[in-house]
Amino acid sequence: MILKIQNIISQMQAVFVDSNKIKTIDAVSIDSRSLQNGSQTLFFALVGANNDAHLYIENLIEKGVQNFVVTHIPVDCAGKANFLIVENTLEALQQFASFYRSLFDFPVIGLTGSNGKTIVKEWLNFLLSPDYNAIRSPKSYNSQVGVPLSVLAINEQHNLGIFEAGISTGSEMGKLEKIIKPTIGILTNIGSAHDEGFGSLGEKISEKLLLFKDSEVLIYQKSEIVDANLFRYENRRLFSWSFKDSTADVFITKSPVLDQTILHIRHVEESFEIQIPFQDAASVENAISCLMVLLYFKYDVTTIQNRMKLLYPVEMRLKVKNGINNCSVVDDSYSSDFQSLKIALDFLESQKQYQKKTVILSDIFQSGLSNEELYSKVAELIISNRISRVIGIGETISAFKDKFTNCITYKNTADFIADFDDLIFSNETILIKGARTFQFEEIVSLLEEKTHETVLEINLNAISHNLNFFKSKLKPATKMMVMVKAFGYGNGGFEIAKLLEHHKVDYLGVAFADEGISLKNLGIQLPIMVLNPESTSFSAIIQHQLEPEIYSLKGLRAFLKIAEQKKLKNFPIHIKLDTGMHRLGFEANTIDDLIETLRGNKTVEIKSILSHMATSDDENHKDFAESQINLFEKLSSKLMVELQIKPIRHILNTSGISNFPASQFDMVRLGIGLYGISNDAEEQKYLENVGTLKSIISQIRTIPAGDSVGYGRRFVAEKPTKVATIPIGYADGISRAWGNGNGYIAIKDKKASIIGSVCMDMLMIDITGVACNEGDTVVIFGENPTVNYLAEKLNTIPYEILTSVSQRVKRVFYRE
């Protein structure tokens, strides 16, 4: 993309304020944190419910960005950059993308549906890549923001587009249609995802079909409810398929063979078979959507057969894993294209644990650029993201080695592996980014820390979603502290803290000093409050610039003594008031002594005053909760008046945010809600699951009637029983009360009862009637069963379930 600003002003109905800066753009950005922003970046200052990118413009100008799309010019920024002033910056981004799309004339495939969009997109790219230079949406960029960013990545060398469109409410698809303008439409599986945004399934289908209003053809699975909504497409070609309706354009039957599926195809007067390496219904449907495109493009049967049998599982996640020698590994080892590299580098920066950053990169395919231009741009990306070392793998990237600094290259993955023992990986963050054909999963295996096969997968997208959900409940000026104590409620401390820092929350909260020290040592810059500091930790708190909560006169005097010895000035502290929890805090009868102790003291500064609610989640004790809020208002106001201070005040926790919105004061503290847990069943529907505890089947055996399983013979089979052993036990956090038929785990969405006693490192399940094999994945908790379900059945709370997961269980962080 190389455009002159003068040529796009009218497309956005913008008022242009010129500052005689560079007026040529070669990239678009909406992320002020990206290290890829440069002098020729056009930055769109998007405004959300809880964030306004206009606040970061001054800092971006200092970093060299010179072109901005804004609703207003921020104070002190006039004359320092070029500004295109519009009414709505998101609409301007969409208008710009729509204009940019109109500059290109080639086939564009548009996909929508409830499920399968990203899989079909990736498979189509694979199937069509021998014949087309395709541009496709990176990852799952299918939203009102993601679609325009995807389309704006088109360049002059592309001759096919594949873009997905996702919507969650009505009135959204019309905007995306103007941007994608698909010539070929694909409607994938219609399920229950995002149903809450529509009045009915028919309404959702009708809205999704708007994407195809001007398409040459619509490819879809024939069904009564879809057909009922196709009346407006009478002038368009419909290309349908079905397992049941023989009137469909393509009629299909299927038969499983081992771990594959044979599809029997009848199309026009032709009948043939194809083989695909899947058996699950979702993969089969997605493969058929791809098959329909090949048929529409009139590929011959032999080519279709040869390519379809090579379809592969698509990994849509960027994963963060613990690596060898104290490294952190970002695993993106299944794709290599220019747009996804940009995304992976931004993710690397948001999750970096060390200043030293290494990128292991394969040859890049389908960029639409000449190799010379492509690797020049890749080198620019590497430089802007301050990558310490590049390891290139592939003959093409090896030929352009000189474009990179501190770079070594290998012709293939085997050569790298042969040299692995001579390479040094230590105390660094490593991005592994490679095309599938390079089999970089072997490199991941070498660099990944070896632990047992039970893992807790943490969905970083879900954390971001839940954070934004609670942010949406806040007044614009209300700050947010997020609790990352107890190892992030069992989910992982540093990685979540790093993500929260990326989201610019105001404070982090930990229980004890050592948690805060660990985060500071790993590079977290956010202010960290220590809620339960012991007096023996005060010196360490001061040394590491943590901020202690002070809850007693004894503790205050001890801290002041150390502060005076160290000649501190205005060191931040936080005063805890006891308004009824009766756990920690200054009570009403100690406030006067507190005031006298602090009056005129210059060694410390009261950064905030807080209290803790005991019943914010219980409607039956609403009066008590309100009495706490009223007492907090009274006592904190007295402190503020007497000491002539204006600290941050906060009393609301997760439940308080939802149940007492009028009492946000200056800040709220988000805890368990960030991790996808709510005490309110209605609110729970809007939160996303964060943690999924998984393991595998170690061994399967069938025992006869009368045989027992486990310690104490607490399970005795009444009939021949198929038993699987899972390598997870009470040392990993599984309650023994969950055994002996009380609990279950999920295998391929089917329940398998836990039988016998839960052992320290293992448990056994009854898999009679469940089709599974040794090595298959099992789910202990996640979407099913949920943490809330476990807590209810075990007569405990979700906090205990989450924080009980042992540190020996490997955490894998990923982003969809």
Side-chain angles (χ1 to χ4, degrees):
M1 173 196 295
I2 298 179
L3 293 172
K4 293 182 178 180
I5 283 186
Q6 285 85 346
N7 295 337
I8 62 175
I9 295 171
S10 62
Q11 307 300 327
M12 296 185 283
Q13 293 88 53
V15 175
F16 184 47
V17 180
D18 186 355
S19 65
N20 296 317
K21 302 289 185 182
I22 296 173
K23 302 183 185 69
T24 301
I25 63 168
D26 64 4
V28 166
S29 175
I30 61 167
D31 188 353
S32 63
R33 300 159 297 194
S34 176
L35 297 178
Q36 297 161 27
N37 295 322
S39 61
Q40 292 184 270
T41 296
L42 179 62
F43 184 85
F44 284 79
L46 300 187
V47 179
N50 294 282
N51 199 23
D52 184 350
H54 291 78
L55 299 174
Y56 313 122
I57 288 177
E58 187 172 9
N59 180 252
L60 284 166
I61 293 173
E62 291 175 0
K63 293 180 178 179
V65 181
Q66 297 178 350
N67 302 293
F68 297 89
V69 179
V70 298
T71 58
H72 63 278
I73 300 176
V75 177
D76 298 329
C77 291
K80 296 179 180 179
N82 300 318
F83 292 97
L84 289 87
I85 304 174
V86 299
E87 289 187 9
N88 183 302
T89 49
L90 174 57
E91 290 180 3
L93 174 65
Q94 294 171 337
Q95 290 164 351
F96 178 38
S98 179
F99 158 71
Y100 189 73
R101 164 69 179 90
S102 71
L103 302 179
F104 299 91
D105 183 19
F106 51 67
V108 171
I109 299 172
L111 301 105
T112 193
S114 302
N115 307 296
K117 298 183 292 294
T118 302
I119 301 291
V120 173
K121 176 196 69 186
E122 293 298 321
W123 281 351
L124 282 175
N125 179 68
F126 166 75
L127 292 166
L128 298 172
S129 61
D131 312 300
Y132 292 91
N133 189 10
I135 174 72
R136 69 192 190 281
S137 312
K139 301 296 179 183
S140 298
Y141 271 39
N142 60 26
S143 67
Q144 298 291 307
V145 174
V147 167
L149 293 178
S150 299
V151 167
L152 288 167
I154 299 173
N155 67 44
E156 289 74 11
Q157 304 306 313
H158 292 126
N159 57 10
L160 177 71
I162 311 173
F163 301 109
E164 55 177 297
I167 57 172
S168 54
T169 62
S171 76
E172 290 185 340
M173 189 59 86
K175 299 174 183 177
L176 300 185
E177 188 277 334
K178 292 176 182 177
I179 300 168
I180 298 175
K181 281 293 177 188
T183 57
I184 299 163
I186 301 175
L187 183 67
T188 64
N189 177 273
I190 296 291
S192 59
H194 303 297
D195 270 0
E196 65 274 8
F198 300 93
S200 66
L201 179 60
E203 180 185 325
K204 180 166 73 170
I205 291 172
S206 179
E207 176 72 14
K208 287 183 177 293
L209 287 173
L210 289 176
L211 178 63
F212 314 122
K213 72 183 189 70
D214 293 323
S215 298
E216 297 169 2
V217 64
L218 170 59
I219 294 169
Y220 74 106
Q221 182 177 9
K222 195 171 179 60
S223 71
E224 289 184 6
I225 191 164
V226 175
D227 285 342
N229 283 277
L230 288 174
F231 60 89
R232 71 187 78 181
Y233 298 94
E234 291 177 356
N235 297 326
R236 303 287 165 209
R237 178 179 174 187
L238 302 177
F239 192 30
S240 63
W241 67 272
S242 179
F243 290 128
K244 301 176 181 177
D245 189 339
S246 60
T247 66
D249 297 299
V250 178
F251 184 66
I252 302 171
T253 57
K254 58 181 178 178
S255 52
V257 178
L258 299 176
D259 57 349
Q260 311 208 355
T261 300
I262 303 298
L263 297 177
H264 309 274
I265 313 298
R266 192 189 72 199
H267 172 46
V268 193
E269 297 179 354
E270 188 174 31
S271 297
F272 59 93
E273 294 180 350
I274 65 171
Q275 175 183 311
I276 57 174
F278 307 100
Q279 282 195 346
D280 63 287
S283 295
V284 171
E285 283 192 21
N286 293 334
I288 291 172
S289 291
C290 296
L291 164 69
M292 295 292 286
V293 173
L294 297 181
L295 291 173
Y296 180 72
F297 279 10
K298 301 190 184 307
Y299 277 83
D300 63 84
V301 170
T302 301
T303 300
I304 292 174
Q305 291 170 329
N306 289 339
R307 293 188 187 179
M308 292 289 290
K309 69 182 180 182
L310 298 177
L311 291 179
Y312 53 89
V314 173
E315 178 58 71
M316 294 183 291
R317 300 171 174 181
L318 278 161
K319 294 181 180 179
V320 183
K321 304 175 178 179
N322 291 329
I324 60 173
N325 303 327
N326 207 31
C327 289
S328 179
V329 175
V330 178
D331 179 4
D332 193 12
S333 57
Y334 294 92
S335 67
S336 182
D337 60 83
F338 188 67
Q339 292 304 313
S340 66
L341 175 61
K342 295 169 72 173
I343 294 169
L345 287 169
D346 275 339
F347 182 68
L348 170 66
E349 181 63 21
S350 73
Q351 282 294 306
K352 71 174 183 184
Q353 190 166 343
Y354 308 97
Q355 285 302 114
K356 185 179 178 183
K357 296 182 288 185
T358 292
V359 172
I360 302 176
L361 182 65
S362 79
D363 287 346
I364 295 176
F365 301 127
Q366 290 182 282
S367 67
L369 305 170
S370 68
N371 285 334
E372 176 71 30
E373 186 178 0
L374 169 63
Y375 287 99
S376 293
K377 285 182 172 291
V378 171
E380 290 173 8
L381 278 183
I382 295 295
I383 291 169
S384 65
N385 280 272
R386 301 166 193 158
I387 302 302
S388 312
R389 174 173 57 162
V390 176
I391 299 175
I393 299 179
E395 293 188 0
T396 307
I397 196 171
S398 295
F400 291 91
K401 174 182 177 180
D402 292 343
K403 290 189 177 293
F404 304 93
T405 57
N406 196 19
C407 175
I408 57 174
T409 59
Y410 297 90
K411 296 294 184 184
N412 52 54
T413 303
D415 287 352
F416 169 85
I417 292 173
D419 207 23
F420 183 78
D421 290 340
D422 294 326
L423 296 170
I424 298 174
F425 294 96
S426 176
N427 297 300
E428 59 191 296
T429 305
I430 306 165
L431 169 63
I432 302 174
K433 176 74 176 162
R436 228 182 126 260
T437 53
F438 283 86
Q439 297 180 311
F440 271 17
E441 62 270 19
E442 297 180 26
I443 297 177
V444 174
S445 179
L446 288 173
L447 287 168
E448 190 176 1
E449 184 181 50
K450 303 303 181 285
T451 55
H452 68 111
E453 292 163 307
T454 296
V455 299
L456 181 62
E457 291 188 346
I458 310 299
N459 185 338
L460 297 176
N461 291 79
I463 289 179
S464 296
H465 169 87
N466 297 337
L467 176 69
N468 289 328
F469 172 78
F470 285 101
K471 273 188 175 181
S472 71
K473 294 173 176 284
L474 304 183
K475 300 168 187 173
T478 304
K479 298 179 185 295
M480 179 176 281
M481 171 188 284
V482 181
M483 309 308 297
V484 291
K485 61 182 182 177
F487 194 52
Y489 289 61
N491 293 280
F494 167 77
E495 291 82 1
I496 291 173
K498 188 66 181 174
L499 180 64
L500 295 171
E501 189 169 61
H502 192 66
H503 280 294
K504 300 183 185 297
V505 303
D506 299 285
Y507 261 91
L508 298 179
V510 298
F512 299 105
D514 58 345
E515 295 176 305
I517 291 169
S518 175
L519 293 177
K520 285 291 186 181
N521 286 340
L522 290 170
I524 296 299
Q525 300 296 315
L526 284 175
I528 299 175
M529 185 190 301
V530 182
L531 280 80
N532 304 327
E534 298 157 317
S535 58
T536 54
S537 68
F538 284 160
S539 292
I541 284 173
I542 292 168
Q543 178 187 344
H544 291 89
Q545 294 295 301
L546 303 173
E547 302 181 16
E549 173 190 286
I550 303 296
Y551 50 82
S552 69
L553 286 170
K554 180 182 177 182
L556 175 60
R557 288 166 182 154
F559 190 83
L560 289 176
K561 182 178 180 180
I562 295 174
E564 289 165 2
Q565 289 171 353
K566 293 182 179 292
K567 295 181 171 53
L568 300 181
K569 186 176 181 181
N570 296 327
F571 192 91
I573 64 171
H574 302 263
I575 298 298
K576 176 72 168 285
L577 304 178
D578 182 1
T579 56
M581 182 79 165
H582 296 329
R583 191 171 64 179
L584 294 173
F586 291 93
E587 296 180 283
N589 61 6
T590 63
I591 295 297
D592 288 337
D593 287 339
L594 171 62
I595 291 169
E596 288 310 308
T597 304
L598 286 171
R599 197 188 302 275
N601 193 298
K602 302 297 184 182
T603 59
V604 296
E605 175 190 359
I606 300 177
K607 199 73 176 178
S608 81
I609 302 173
L610 66 147
S611 189
H612 196 83
M613 299 180 71
T615 61
S616 63
D617 61 336
D618 192 339
E619 280 288 316
N620 295 323
H621 294 288
K622 188 173 182 180
D623 290 344
F624 180 78
E626 290 178 342
S627 73
Q628 280 197 270
I629 292 169
N630 292 334
L631 181 56
F632 178 67
E633 168 66 38
K634 177 183 175 182
L635 296 181
S636 61
S637 294
K638 182 176 181 178
L639 278 171
M640 292 166 66
V641 170
E642 292 286 341
L643 295 174
Q644 297 183 348
I645 57 175
K646 291 185 177 180
I648 299 167
R649 293 191 292 174
H650 48 114
I651 190 172
L652 299 185
N653 55 6
T654 295
S655 296
I657 293 170
S658 299
N659 296 333
F660 298 92
S663 302
Q664 292 177 10
F665 290 94
D666 305 299
M667 186 163 73
V668 297
R669 301 188 301 272
L670 177 63
I672 195 74
L674 181 76
Y675 306 99
I677 305 295
S678 173
N679 292 304
D680 182 86
E682 268 311 302
E683 185 174 78
Q684 186 66 55
K685 295 176 183 177
Y686 295 94
L687 299 180
E688 293 186 357
N689 179 66
V690 169
T692 301
L693 183 59
K694 293 182 174 181
S695 193
I696 65 161
I697 296 175
S698 294
Q699 191 175 30
I700 293 174
R701 59 170 53 80
T702 300
I703 63 171
D707 272 21
S708 61
V709 172
Y711 288 118
R713 302 198 73 205
R714 300 180 74 181
F715 172 84
V716 177
E718 297 178 355
K719 58 184 179 180
T721 303
K722 199 172 182 181
V723 179
T725 301
I726 314 299
I728 186 172
Y730 59 77
D732 301 296
I734 307 303
S735 171
R736 291 186 80 248
W738 198 229
N740 296 312
N742 295 319
Y744 73 91
I745 63 176
I747 307 175
K748 299 178 180 178
D749 293 325
K750 293 185 178 180
K751 294 182 179 181
S753 178
I754 300 173
I755 55 177
S757 297
V758 173
C759 308
M760 179 182 289
D761 310 300
M762 286 171 279
L763 57 80
M764 286 68 75
I765 56 175
D766 182 353
I767 56 170
T768 307
V770 179
C772 57
N773 300 296
E774 291 179 357
D776 282 357
T777 298
V778 303
V779 175
I780 291 84
F781 66 68
E783 295 284 357
N784 175 34
T786 65
V787 171
N788 280 333
Y789 177 84
L790 265 71
E792 179 185 352
K793 295 299 181 182
L794 291 170
N795 195 31
T796 184
I797 57 177
Y799 297 78
E800 184 175 354
I801 303 295
L802 289 175
T803 58
S804 294
V805 179
S806 167
Q807 293 276 346
R808 79 176 185 176
V809 172
K810 177 173 66 174
R811 270 69 173 174
V812 173
F813 300 84
Y814 69 90
R815 179 174 288 175
E816 297 286 1

